Structures are given as structure tokens and as C-alpha cells.
Amino acid sequence: MRAIIQRVTKASVTVGEEQVSSIGRGICVLLGISVDDTQRDADYIVRKILNLRLFEDENGRAWAKSVMERDFEVLCVSQFTLQCILKGNKPDFHSAMPAELAQPFYNSILESMRSAYKPELIKDGKFGARMQVNIQNDGPVTVELTSPAGPTDPKQLLKLEKQQQRKEKTRSKGPSESGREKGSLRSRQDPSASSGAEGDVSSDREP
Amino acid sequence: MRAIIQRVTKASVTVGEEQVSSIGRGICVLLGISVDDTQRDADYIVRKILNLRLFEDENGRAWAKSVMERDFEVLCVSQFTLQCILKGNKPDFHSAMPAELAQPFYNSILESMRSAYKPELIKDGKFGARMQVNIQNDGPVTVELTSPAGPTDPKQLLKLEKQQQRKEKTRSKGPSESGREKGSLRSRQDPSASSGAEGDVSSDREP
């Protein structure tokens, strides 16, 4: 699951001539669900979206407060194009979760956010519709989140790698060693490595 | 280097009360340069930004044309917060290239885009300023690019892994095998794994 979070002064969604949603200060979240995402990914993303410290505190200290701590709003819009694999210059969306599965999953993610925060401060786009999403990016401040945390956090990767090296040193080398090691390295790459295994033709799915 | 590309109906940048830039149809690019980025990363990102097929063709066929092929505009804004590492819920920006190095590099990237396309169609924000970036995301369509191509493309990872496995099968197992294998796996993780090795305190850098 990938989320692009933009800190906003205001944001809104229109479909055709109709404005379907709007917020004032807060964050606009574009959310891309992959075929491999599970509840665990959703839980991670929801927690990070709501707790990420993107705002100043009362004394103007930067990166001090989350959207919840400031009582700000969230506009969340489903965005399958974030699950894009490039085939040359053509985007391919086979690793995005198909709409019929993604829609209920996406709705459950919105519900999780509403339960964890104030339901009236979580706004939505219109799933599957052609939208104009008006974003007044404040700063700008844009952060990309990928779930789960492990493989996208270089620090944690480094830490895991060092732990692994220490283990190797203290352990006697057996024939199973290289196999275990390979598995552990591969598992850290999994979230991206496995999501591309679905198909090999470009998707003509519309935004 | 990481770029968030949003397809837009229009976009603009204001600093204080002054509008410093605006475009009509095209793409808004938020660009985050890491401490490890080189000219190779810049070349990749510029090529992809300009050639990515995010637009319909004349017959309404989706994902058919690039911003250049449609003669549309590009608004590019520097965005160091894309080089964010989470420490719990606090963003840390030590893997972003420091402003004094990032600014000339960023300017050279803009120049590359202008040389490769039409200079008058490439617009800019104001480096380092507190900006309001107004983005009318059309679709929405948002794509994340990370340079270089290899390690972020699951297909390519899978292909490399299969090649590796074939090599392993055809090769006699020697004591150096596990070492070479480990090295090759690690090199694919490098672009993200190495960028976090700089510091361990949170940055108070402002947007």
C-alpha cells in the first residue's frame, strides 16, 4: 500500500460540476492499494497517516504535531495509479488491486480512520469517478508512505543487516546457512518484489 | 531521487501574496533529491518525467501520450520532504541533499528538462521558499518515480532474481558462492539502504 500525503491549507474534490468534498487545514491523502495488501498494511498506513508529525506546534516548532493533535482534517482519495509499474514509458497497473476488491477494502480503511479519529473530520472522494482533486499543498510538504514499514526504511534495513551479520559471526556455518540468509534478505524485498508477478500486458484501466 | 508526478488541469505556486508560477494542462512534479543522487539519477528522472505516458491521445485512448507529445506544461517544485525517513512518527530528513548542494543540482535538472523539451513550457517554484502549491489533480492521476530504475521495478527485480537462480544452477558451488550472492542481493537494495546512513537525529529543517 502506498500513500502520498500532502499537507494542505485546503483541498477539495469535484466530480463534473459538483463539489463532493472539501477540507480546510490538514492533509490530502492519495491512497494506492496493491493486489498483495492485507489488513496489516491497512493498519500500518492508517496509524501513520493519523500520527505523522507534519505540523508545527503552538510555538512554531516544525514537525511537532500530527493532524489529530491539531484537530485538522483529512481528505482521502483512492488512487490506483500509485501502484504503477513502468514498462518503458507506459504505466502498467496490474499490481493495483482490482476495483471490485479495492472498493470495500478502501471503505474499511476510511472506517478505520474515522474510528481512530473524529469521523466528521475524515472526508472522501468518489471511488472510481473521474475527479478533479484540488490540493493547496502548504510548504510544500509531501511525504510518501509504503507499507509495511520494514523494507522502505533504510535505517531499519541497515539494522536488520547488522543483526544478521552478528548472527552469522556467532553461529557455526552449516549447509543451511546460506539458504536461511537468502530467505531473510528476500523477505525484506517482498512487498515490492511480489507485486509485479501478476501479468505482463499494460492495463487500460481509466483513472 | 524521488518524484511525485501529478497530472493536472492547472497548477500554480504562490509565495506570500505573489503568484510566482502557473501552468495549464500538464504535470506538477514534486522532486526530492537525496544525498546519494548523481547525474545518472537526474538523467533518469528527467527522461521519465518528460516521456511518461499519462495522457490520452486524440481518440481518447488512455495512457497513450506524454506531456511532450501533447505539448503540455510542466511545473516542477523542489520537495526535500520526499526524502523522509520515519523515526516513529517524526519525519527525519538527513537523507535529503543539503540545500546548498541541492539548489545548483536542482537548477541543473530544470535546465536539462528545458533543453530536452521547450524551455518556455517548464515552470519552477521558488527554491527554499515557503510556498503554496495549488494543484488541480486531474483524474486523479499520481505516479511515484524513484531513481534509478532497477531496484524499484518489481518485474526487473524478479528477472534479476531468476537470472541469478539460473546462474546458481549452472555453476559449481564453491565457498565464494554465498558471498557473491549476498553482494548481488544487497546491491539491489542499495539506493535506499545507503541513504539512511548519514545521521541519527531528527532534522528540524523547515519546508
Side-chain angles (χ1 to χ4, degrees):
Chain A
M1 200 172 293
R2 174 169 288 156
I4 303 298
I5 300 177
Q6 296 178 78
R7 189 177 74 180
V8 299
T9 313
K10 61 182 181 181
S12 62
V13 176
T14 58
V15 176
E17 297 297 301
E18 188 199 2
Q19 180 173 298
V20 296
S21 230
S22 77
I23 63 168
R25 285 192 74 181
I27 52 179
C28 175
V29 179
L30 298 163
L31 190 71
I33 303 173
S34 97
V35 283
D36 297 311
D37 283 329
T38 65
Q39 192 54 42
R40 196 174 148 257
D41 300 279
D43 293 345
Y44 171 81
I45 287 282
V46 166
R47 199 169 63 244
K48 287 299 167 194
I49 286 171
L50 293 177
N51 290 293
L52 205 52
R53 296 193 217 156
L54 296 179
F55 297 92
E56 302 174 347
D57 65 11
E58 303 69 29
N59 305 315
R61 192 168 56 95
W63 319 114
K65 296 287 183 184
S66 69
V67 70
M68 287 207 293
E69 288 170 315
R70 292 295 305 269
D71 232 27
F72 287 158
E73 292 179 284
V74 179
L75 175 62
C76 189
V77 178
S78 175
Q79 178 72 100
F80 74 85
T81 65
L82 287 173
Q83 295 295 338
C84 165
I85 297 167
L86 290 188
K87 305 199 162 258
N89 295 312
K90 194 170 164 74
D92 174 283
F93 304 113
H94 279 93
S95 63
M97 187 178 279
E100 61 275 19
L101 296 172
Q103 183 159 17
F105 193 19
Y106 173 74
N107 286 335
S108 78
I109 291 169
L110 278 176
E111 279 316 305
S112 300
M113 274 196 244
R114 291 185 172 123
S115 306
Y117 187 27
K118 299 176 181 171
E120 70 276 16
L121 299 185
I122 308 287
K123 306 290 176 68
D124 188 14
K126 191 171 175 186
F127 190 97
R130 172 80 180 241
M131 299 175 251
Q132 299 289 311
V133 184
N134 297 283
I135 299 157
Q136 185 168 331
N137 192 325
D138 175 32
V141 171
T142 310
V143 169
E144 190 249 357
L145 288 179
T146 310
S147 72
T152 59
D153 182 340
K155 288 278 182 197
Q156 203 160 339
L157 265 178
L158 213 70
K159 207 168 137 187
L160 281 169
E161 199 154 323
K162 276 177 188 164
Q163 279 174 355
Q164 187 77 26
Q165 283 164 359
R166 275 197 298 276
K167 270 187 203 162
E168 281 167 44
K169 274 183 193 164
T170 54
R171 223 182 250 156
S172 69
K173 293 264 175 192
S176 67
E177 192 61 44
S178 81
R180 188 157 60 233
E181 188 182 300
K182 213 166 49 175
S184 122
L185 279 167
R186 195 178 295 148
S187 76
R188 287 184 239 160
Q189 305 175 327
D190 248 4
S192 59
S194 59
S195 65
E198 296 306 309
D200 60 1
V201 283
S202 291
S203 164
D204 287 325
R205 195 163 155 189
E206 299 280 340
Chain B
M1 200 170 295
R2 174 170 285 156
I4 303 297
I5 301 176
Q6 295 177 81
R7 189 177 74 181
V8 299
T9 314
K10 59 182 182 182
S12 62
V13 176
T14 58
V15 177
E17 297 298 302
E18 189 199 1
Q19 180 173 299
V20 297
S21 229
S22 76
I23 63 167
R25 285 192 76 179
I27 52 178
C28 175
V29 179
L30 298 163
L31 190 71
I33 303 174
S34 98
V35 285
D36 298 310
D37 283 329
T38 65
Q39 191 55 41
R40 196 175 148 256
D41 299 278
D43 292 345
Y44 172 80
I45 287 282
V46 166
R47 199 169 63 244
K48 286 299 168 193
I49 286 170
L50 293 177
N51 290 292
L52 204 53
R53 296 192 218 157
L54 296 179
F55 297 91
E56 301 175 346
D57 65 12
E58 303 69 27
N59 305 315
R61 192 169 56 98
W63 319 114
K65 296 287 183 185
S66 69
V67 69
M68 288 207 294
E69 289 170 315
R70 292 296 305 269
D71 231 27
F72 288 157
E73 292 179 283
V74 179
L75 174 62
C76 189
V77 178
S78 177
Q79 178 72 101
F80 73 86
T81 65
L82 286 173
Q83 296 295 338
C84 166
I85 296 166
L86 289 189
K87 305 200 163 259
N89 295 312
K90 194 170 164 74
D92 173 284
F93 304 112
H94 278 93
S95 62
M97 186 177 280
E100 62 274 21
L101 296 172
Q103 184 159 15
F105 193 22
Y106 172 74
N107 286 336
S108 78
I109 291 169
L110 278 176
E111 280 315 306
S112 300
M113 273 196 247
R114 291 185 173 122
S115 306
Y117 188 26
K118 298 176 182 172
E120 69 277 16
L121 298 185
I122 308 286
K123 306 288 176 70
D124 188 14
K126 191 171 173 187
F127 191 96
R130 171 82 180 239
M131 299 174 250
Q132 299 290 310
V133 184
N134 297 284
I135 299 157
Q136 185 167 331
N137 192 324
D138 175 33
V141 171
T142 310
V143 169
E144 190 248 359
L145 287 180
T146 309
S147 72
T152 59
D153 183 339
K155 288 276 183 196
Q156 204 159 340
L157 265 178
L158 211 71
K159 205 168 141 189
L160 282 168
E161 199 154 324
K162 277 180 187 163
Q163 280 174 353
Q164 188 76 27
Q165 283 163 359
R166 272 198 298 274
K167 272 186 201 163
E168 280 167 42
K169 274 186 193 164
T170 54
R171 224 181 246 155
S172 66
K173 292 266 174 189
S176 68
E177 191 61 44
S178 83
R180 187 159 61 233
E181 188 181 300
K182 213 165 48 175
S184 121
L185 278 166
R186 197 179 294 145
S187 75
R188 287 183 237 160
Q189 303 175 326
D190 251 5
S192 59
S194 58
S195 63
E198 296 305 309
D200 59 1
V201 283
S202 291
S203 164
D204 287 325
R205 194 164 156 189
E206 299 279 342

